[in-house]
Each structure stands twice: as C-alpha cells, then as structure tokens.
Amino acid sequence: MHVTLPVNRARWCDLDWIVDLLTATIVPTSLGAWLVPDERRRPAVIAAVARIWTEHALLFGDAFLLRDGTAATVWFHRYRPIPPPPRYDERLDDASGEHAVRFRRVDHILAARRPVEAHNHLAFLAAPPDADRAGQAAAVLAGSHRYMDNLGLPTYAEVHRSDDIRLYRRLGYRSRHRLTRPDGQAMNVLWRPPSPVRSGPDPGPVRRHDPGRPPAPARTVVMVDAHMPS
C-alpha cells in the first residue's frame, strides 16, 4: 500500500529554511530572551548558533520539513557518542560573543542528563507561533516519526514549551525527568519507546519552498530545544 507522508526529508539546500523556522520558534520564548537579553541582537545570534547545530544534525542525524514548509524537526542519531561540531568553541564565540557562556550553560545541563543508551534525539521542533501552530507541530512530528520508527530505536526529547506536552503524550512520549534551566524555568524530558515499524515510503529529499506559495516572513534561527548537543 502506498502511503504519502506529510513530511519530506531535508537536504543541505534546505538549511536556511530550517534555520529560519527555528529562529522564529525560539526568539519569542523565555529561553531565547535569557540566552540573548539584547532584543535587537537576539534573532541574529540565535540564528547563527542554530545554524551550527542544524548543519551538524544534517551530518549526524536527519531533518524533516512539512511539505508546505511551515514546520520542521531536527534529529540526531545517537547510536554512539557524537563529536561536537568542528571548531565549536571558536564558532560559538564568533556567533554569540559575550552570550556564549549562556549557551554553554544550557548545553552542559542538557548533555549531563542525556541517556547513554542508543536513541534518536529530537533536538528541535520548529513550529513558529501562528494560528495554525498546533496543527503544524502535530503534523511534522507525527510525519517524522513515520520515518524514524523504521530505525527501531527509542526517541528522546527535551520539551521547553509546556503547552506541547499534550501533543507529545498523544504520540507516545512519557516523562523521564524534569530539569530546571539556567533561566529558572522547568523543562520536561521525555522518552518514547520504539514503535512497531509501519510500511511506508522513505520521505525522500525535501523540495525547496514552493515559489507559488507566499514567502514566510523573514526569520532568524533560534536554539530552543537547542541543547547544543555534544
């Protein structure tokens, strides 16, 4: 039976679009404000740091986009320890300047509690706030699972938005523990056991934004679930 998935697997040429989605998702959050208190600089800094990690995910994981380009997920395949991005410290300093210490604090907190067993790590759910966000987030996450479940591994996710918890639970995630971020806000860490493999096509490479669709507003990238994997 042929199954059409709502997502496409991203290619390197989709990097800018994914970064834009991530930026638009994270900049308005309390975490984004804590990472970069300067509101004017925040989008550019978040975008630059998110680009580092999205590039790394395309080498050591996967990314998926809704077919209409309105939401994305970014994953790391943690079958074994993943090295940091090349020249990470230097690049982080260049990207974030005096804010680098804050990004490193978030990174260290998340890395210290990450599971050691093999798993797929949902690093980012990029679904910018708008009237259709709930549906877009549900569609891109469920569609991504249809591909990732073929790998037969559990899924780990760090969820920064409390209003997303119901969606994750509906898709089979369960609480693993809670963390307190450096900004004082609680964060839920979730675990999803492997799901039975369903027949279906490889989502295949994602196509660049449809020229017939109105362009999304200019966005920068933000590292929300941006644990800055290490």
Side-chain angles (χ1 to χ4, degrees):
M1 178 179 68
H2 179 73
V3 178
T4 300
L5 299 181
V7 300
N8 283 323
R9 190 177 183 185
R11 299 179 300 179
W12 197 261
C13 64
D14 300 301
L15 175 65
D16 290 346
W17 191 251
I18 295 171
V19 166
D20 285 349
L21 290 170
L22 283 169
T23 300
T25 301
I26 300 165
V27 164
T29 66
S30 60
L31 179 59
W34 181 84
L35 286 168
V36 187
D38 186 337
E39 189 174 356
R40 292 172 301 174
R41 294 188 57 201
R42 189 179 306 151
V45 172
I46 294 292
V49 177
R51 176 175 294 275
I52 295 172
W53 287 107
T54 305
E55 289 178 356
H56 205 50
L58 291 176
L59 296 174
F60 289 92
D62 272 300
F64 300 92
L65 277 162
L66 278 185
R67 289 183 182 274
D68 65 1
T70 57
T73 56
V74 178
W75 302 76
F76 285 92
H77 299 311
R78 294 192 178 276
Y79 311 141
R80 59 183 64 86
I82 294 175
R87 301 185 299 106
Y88 176 60
D89 286 333
E90 176 186 344
R91 294 175 68 192
L92 180 61
D93 289 339
D94 289 344
S96 57
E98 70 271 23
H99 306 298
V101 64
R102 297 190 175 215
F103 284 92
R104 288 190 175 98
R105 284 182 63 188
V106 175
D107 183 15
H108 293 159
I109 286 173
L110 299 182
R113 299 297 297 273
R114 195 166 296 131
V116 295
E117 59 263 48
H119 63 279
N120 290 309
H121 178 194
L122 175 59
F124 305 108
L125 169 59
D130 60 33
D132 298 324
R133 183 189 184 277
Q136 292 161 353
V140 74
L141 194 52
S144 300
H145 287 154
R146 291 296 299 271
Y147 175 82
M148 300 301 286
D149 285 345
N150 289 323
L151 303 178
L153 290 175
T155 300
Y156 177 78
E158 298 139 348
V159 183
H160 295 261
R161 293 175 54 107
S162 59
D163 52 350
D164 282 341
I165 294 299
R166 183 176 299 179
L167 166 61
Y168 280 89
R169 293 195 184 284
R170 190 166 74 241
L171 293 174
Y173 287 83
R174 296 294 177 264
S175 295
R176 188 175 177 104
H177 49 258
R178 286 168 65 88
L179 296 176
T180 300
R181 297 189 319 225
D183 63 347
Q185 299 298 311
M187 183 190 67
N188 290 278
V189 177
L190 307 180
W191 185 257
R192 179 176 178 266
S195 294
V197 176
R198 301 175 182 177
S199 60
D202 184 317
V206 77
R207 295 187 179 182
R208 199 58 181 152
H209 181 54
D210 184 350
R213 175 176 166 269
R219 300 163 175 160
T220 325
V221 75
V222 78
M223 296 200 71
V224 64
D225 263 29
H227 59 289
M228 281 161 268
S230 56

